[in-house]
Each structure stands twice: as C-alpha cells, then as structure tokens.
Amino acid sequence: MGPLESPPQWLHPGALLVFVAAGDCNFQELSQSPLLQTTTLLGVICPSPGNSTYRVLTRLVSEEWVTLGLWDADAFATWDALFRDRFVDFKGREFPITCSYDDVPLVYRQENGTIDGSNIRIINVMAKWLNFRPVYTHRSTDGSWGSPANGTWTGYLGTLYRGQSSLAINYYTVTEERGRDFDYSGSYYNEGFGVMVRVPPPLPRWMNLLFPYTGMVWALVFGVMVLVTLIFYLLNLRKYHLSLARSFLITLRGMVMQSMEHLPASWVSKSFLGLWWFVMLVLDISYTCNLIAVLTVPAYPARIHTFKQLADSKLKMCMLDYGEFVPEALLTSTDESLAKMGAKMELLPENTTLKFSGTSACVERVVAGTHAQVDTNSYIKIVYRSLGVNSKVYSMKPQLYRGHLALLYRKHTPWRHKFSKGVQRLVEAGLVYKWHDEIMDLFPGREGEVGAPLSLSCPPPTPHLHLAPACLCADHNKRAKYLF
C-alpha cells in the first residue's frame, strides 16, 4: 500500500489498476488513498468472498464502490470494459464554487439577488447534465482574484488551492504561473484587458478655419505666396518701382478674392498676375467647399489608437488593485511602450461594498481626461454603460494580454476531463458566445459599437442527438435549455 498511501510527487497516472492478490480488500483504506482520489480511471481487482475467484470494482464520484463483474478475460478484454466512466452521475453532490459576484458578464448578482452570468449558465447546464448541485461562495481571504504568496495562493484562487472549493469561474486566463498549481478546462472565451480613454473635447470653433487644408498644404500656399511676391516685385522693379510690401498686397488680393483699381501696364506682369489669380480662384473654391464640410461637424483632435501613443501621452493609467497580474506584467515588460504604461499606473483600493467594487474612482479620472483605465474588456464596457458615461469615452481597439479564459480546478482533479468535454460542446455549439452577447445586450449603450453581434436564431431541437448539445431558443426568462 506504500505508493497508494504516500505516492511520489511525480506519480499522477491517468488510469490506475489495483490488484489485491489475497485477502479482503480494505475499501475504507483504499478510499483514503491520495493516489486513488486524483486518478481519473480506476479499476480494482479483489478476491471475491471465499477467494474462489476475483471481482472487478471501481469507485464512483459519490464515493460508492460498485462491482463491474467477476473477472473474466473475455469480458474485460478492452480498456473501456476494465476502466468504466466513474463520473456519469454525481448523485446530487454539492459543488462549492468560489467566485466574485462583480465580474459581469461572466458572474454577477442581479437586482433580485440571484446570480447570473455566462459562466453561471455554463455551470447550470453542467449541473443538469452531471447531476450535481452548485453552491456559489463569495469567500476570499482578501477579496482579490488570487496570486501566489509564500508557497500558497491568496484570494479566490487561494480558496480553491486549499480545497475549500471545487471550481473557480471568474475571469481567469490560462497562464504558466496558474498552470503550475491548478488544472483548467478548455478555453470557453478569448478576451483581453481593454483600455478606456476619454473622447478628446472638440477644438475651438475658430480652428475650423484651418481644417480645410492640412498643415503641409498651408505651408506650401504661404511658401508659394512668398515666391510669387518676389517674382512680381522683380518683374516691376526696373520700370514701376513697386515696393516689396506693395507687391505682397497685390498678390494677397488674389488670395482673398479682391479686385485691383489699376493693373500693371506691362503685358508680362499682367500675364503673370492673371495666372496667379486663376490659381488662387481654384484654391479659394476648394477651400470654401472644404470649409462648408468642416463646419457641419465639430473638429476633434486625433484620438489615441496605439499603446505607443498612450505611453507617450500625458495620460496616467488607472486600475483597481484586485490581484490581477497586469500591473506587474506591464512594469516588467521588455516592450518599451508597455513598460512606460506600467510606470505611470495608479492602483486604487478595491471596495466590495460599493457598486463595481469602487471602480467609479477610476471612471471619474478617465472622464476628467487625466487617466486611461485598464480592466477586462467586456467588464469595463458594461461599467461605463451602467454609469451613463459611455458616450464620453471610447475603448481602444487593441487589448492588453489577450488570452484564453478557462475554468480552474484543483491540481489533479479526477473529473476535470468531464467538465472540459462539456465546455467544449457548449463552445462548439456557439452557446457560450450567445450567452455572453445576450448579457452584454442587457446593458444599454451597445448600439453602434464595433463588433456588436447579429442576433442568433436557434434551430428546432433534434431529440435523437443526445450526445451533443442541441440549441433551443430562450424562454421568457431568457434561459436556454440544452440536451447532452
């Protein structure tokens, strides 16, 4: 029983076959074996009463030992016959699930006190399929998502790490650091951290006069004017003795569409002046047309579209300190722009007693035009919509640390493959993205956003497809039913 009682750290088999040569099987002792508790596929061959033959057993997730039959080489000739699926039915077992309720659209508390979110809907479907009862716990040592510290984990991940819960279902991307201490499902969504920036206020109205032409065009126009003035001055220098200032005023008349009382007598000066006025006529017409177009829409400064522009701007960064890896990752990044963003990051304390955990403090700074806020992309959009200031800000198109979201389990959880299979089916059916979009649409202000989805209509159910999820349209409670 040595390896079963205290298995080496490197031993984590996917399948385990225990053979008891003689005597009775001590099922109580076997049940307490750490190796059996973390093994997905389990088979035990024990002598039957009287030691006349052997029987094959396995242990279900409900901790019940069941006999698969008496040993027979033909009956147990295949892998599937010897190693049965132990996790078909969880027999109503309670599943403690740790989560923050302030993680919309993944997990959030509704006004009536119930918990909803795309991840809650995933768990509810899995609970019906595997027959377990989810118990959501808002339990954390410090209210943070969780980070490694002194050989353990803090926050919600610490609750999972110490075995006080079975799942963590908030916004958790797959990272190398988390992968060392936790198992995770297949990816159910791909998203990063969005950056919200204040829409720059319109420029003063008088500056509209400059916008019909670019700075380069204005520079060329005035450069040509200086050149034309000098040429006109030289053409009249010997005979008419026009001053340089007078020559400039004559060329300027053509630019502002004013006539002259007396034309030069020289046909060379007349021809040159006529050509110049014709060029100015074309330029004036194009300027007038462009000015009319510009005056219909307020002129705005250029927006920030890249991380380099954001890093070089005067804007500081703002984020709630809830234990995410982003601030440290930015500060230690080898990318110069990201490192600059990390250096001017201001972390504000989280207050779970306030709506959105006090993120309104960051929102106020963004609306004031002094900061740009970083948070998970979907969450930050909903925050600004709910606070009614989404029209004053815009979300940058690039996202920071875009990654795959996954459900997290304790390390070597034996039933993780079952959940991963269910998540994969829901993703392939398009239901996870549909739920996500439905919840995003519950918060006003999405119209006109880039990437707003088209409505997804569900085909009629197909009862005989019992091995894969079939999509049924949502009922009046906006809930969907799915078949596995």
Side-chain angles (χ1 to χ4, degrees), residues 45-89:
I45 301 178
C46 283
S48 59
N51 295 331
S52 58
T53 184
Y54 289 90
R55 51 180 176 159
V56 181
L57 304 97
T58 192
R59 184 171 181 261
L60 301 180
V61 68
S62 60
E63 302 182 0
E64 176 187 0
W65 287 91
V66 296
T67 301
L68 303 180
L70 296 178
W71 171 256
D72 180 85
D74 295 330
F76 295 96
T78 63
W79 180 274
D80 292 336
L82 186 58
F83 295 105
R84 304 287 179 86
D85 188 352
R86 305 162 53 207
F87 307 104
V88 176
D89 190 339

Side-chain angles (χ1 to χ4, degrees), residues 380-393:
I380 198 171
K381 289 180 179 179
I382 288 178
V383 167
Y384 279 79
R385 292 182 202 168
S386 300
L387 296 178
V389 294
N390 58 307
S391 61
K392 299 180 181 180
V393 298

Side-chain angles (χ1 to χ4, degrees), residues 340-399:
K340 284 183 179 180
M341 292 166 57
K344 55 183 183 179
M345 174 72 76
E346 290 186 8
L347 291 176
L348 302 184
E350 186 182 30
N351 188 344
T352 56
T353 62
L354 299 177
K355 187 176 182 180
F356 300 119
S357 299
T359 193
S360 57
C362 274
V363 174
E364 292 174 358
R365 288 167 168 78
V366 174
V367 173
T370 60
H371 291 68
Q373 185 179 357
V374 178
D375 216 314
T376 57
N377 194 51
S378 296
Y379 176 81
I380 198 171
K381 289 180 179 179
I382 288 178
V383 167
Y384 279 79
R385 292 182 202 168
S386 300
L387 296 178
V389 294
N390 58 307
S391 61
K392 299 180 181 180
V393 298
Y394 68 95
S395 177
M396 292 180 59
K397 187 174 182 180
Q399 298 178 24

